[in-house]
Amino acid sequence: MADWIMWLIAAGVLVALELFSGTFYLLMVAVGALAGALLAFLRVDLPGQMLAAALVGIVATVLLRRSRYARTARGEAGSDPNVNLDIGQTVQVTHWEHGAARVMYRGALWDVELAPGAVAQAGIFTIRAVRGSTLIVS
Amino acid sequence: MDITFGGVTLVILLVALVFVFKTINVVPQQHAWVVERLGKYHATLGPGLNIVVPFIDRIAYKHILKEIPLDVPSQVCITKDNTQLQVDGILYFQVTDAMRASYGSSNYVAAITQLAQTTLRSVIGRMELDKTFEERDQINTSVVNAIDESAANWGVKVLRYEIKDLTPPADILHAMQAQITAERGKRALIAASEGRKQEQINIATGEREASIARSEGEKQAAINRAQGEAAAITAIADATAGALRQVGAAIEQPGGSEAVNLRVAEQYVDAFARLAKTNNTLIVPANLGDMSSLIATAMQVAKTQKAERTVVRPD
């Protein structure tokens, strides 16, 4: 069996495994294996094929980092609505005591703190961040 | 051992594979992965595709941010009135801060479980047995608040604590059952006696009303009868008076006395005739021959009556 067929089979298996696992990195390795198959088809020897596969895999990964799919916005996780579903929700605060309060939210009592610059008055506040189990609202 | 170019490329391929594996991280929604850069906390990876720098970054902790129901093992608590209770509960908690959940406590699950158990023990220790069944809400709130105070730095929020089972010892259960049975029995007896009492009252009231109605009826009947008799007597008296008046008036007419004499004599004879007919006893007047004297006597009576009436009459 020719080398390039071996590489292609490896790439196919990797893509199939990727479909089952959904981890994304197998796809990059598969791209590397395809490069190996291409060089094998062009009659390059095995070390060259392997080198090509390795380099293409690494380059694909670096390119992926630069692509729009990667999360480049490394914001504060505590105020990221993707990390914490409570961010952006509203709570009703009846009264404040030195910038802190205890409010009913999602069927439980939570500690609430005022975000810097917010005015301590009764009303509806939006959750801006979660620190520990304390909601920071404004 | 000679290292060939092929061996080197194989190593490079392996390194490339490891590099790819370690660099690309796809974090599912509601998961948070904590990245350490050279052993120090660096970032929390949110959901989506994350590229980390291999060799210096390390995924140290992986947290699930969903609400987690956690079974709190059953434990024996002692109530205020020294009864042992077997209590087990379920705790709902959620990791709210992946960084603190990684570094604030070595094992937050064990921490909140133990704290829930000890808090529950102290809350139940302040209650009497009967109260524990009623005050579940208060027990739950107390446990949640106690854990909340402590767990501020564990990055974990306890949302709810629910008691699943409160099991008193078998003896106490039997006693409670007996008490309930006795209570029910007591109520049944009371209800039955109330029923009997009401029944007797009803019967007595019925009898009273019946006899009142009966006597009322009898009274009315007697009154009616008396009134009827009175009316009859009055009517007879009136009729008699009318008849007598007519007889008197007739006697006043010329030849009246003679007519009376004749009538009396006829009735006397008639009476004797009837006596002879109806009875087998024969009644014979003392002096049957002296009929004229008898009539004369009767006439004398009539005359006397007449004389008395003429005296009474005002002229």
Side-chain angles (χ1 to χ4, degrees), chain A residues 23-25 28-29 47 50-51 54 61 65 71 74 77 82-85 102 106 108-110 131-133, chain B residues 5-6 9-10 17 20-21 24 26 29-30 44 47 49 65 67 94 96-97 100 145 148 157 159-160:
Chain A
T23 48
F24 220 76
Y25 48 75
M28 302 299 115
V29 181
M50 287 196 290
L51 195 62
T61 307
R65 172 165 194 174
R71 287 171 56 91
R74 172 86 60 236
N82 289 310
V83 175
N84 203 316
L85 294 178
R102 197 134 168 93
R106 280 171 53 197
L109 286 168
W110 294 66
R131 196 174 58 226
S133 60
Chain B
F5 180 58
T9 50
L10 186 61
L17 290 181
V20 173
F21 283 167
I24 298 175
V26 176
Q29 181 65 43
Q30 285 303 88
T44 303
L49 180 67
L65 303 183
E67 235 180 273
Q94 185 183 18
T96 51
D97 190 325
R100 281 180 175 75
N145 287 349
D148 232 20
K157 171 73 189 174
L159 294 152
R160 257 176 298 287

Side-chain angles (χ1 to χ4, degrees), chain A residues 69-117:
Chain A
Y69 297 110
R71 287 171 56 91
T72 47
R74 172 86 60 236
E76 189 61 41
S79 55
D80 184 352
N82 289 310
V83 175
N84 203 316
L85 294 178
D86 296 324
I87 314 262
Q89 301 293 326
T90 54
V91 290
Q92 173 99 33
V93 184
T94 49
H95 69 282
W96 291 94
E97 282 177 17
H98 313 298
R102 197 134 168 93
V103 298
M104 200 72 181
Y105 173 61
R106 280 171 53 197
L109 286 168
W110 294 66
D111 286 322
V112 169
E113 271 181 35
L114 264 182

Side-chain angles (χ1 to χ4, degrees), chain B residues 1 27 50 70 72-73 76 91 116 119 134 143 145 168 176 181 187 190 230 233 236 269 286 291:
Chain B
M1 179 185 164
V27 181
N50 290 274
L70 177 74
V72 178
V76 174
L91 193 74
T119 312
E134 303 163 9
V143 171
N145 287 349
M176 285 162 96
T181 312
R187 269 198 258 170
I190 288 172
I233 290 168
I236 289 168
V269 172
M291 185 65 81

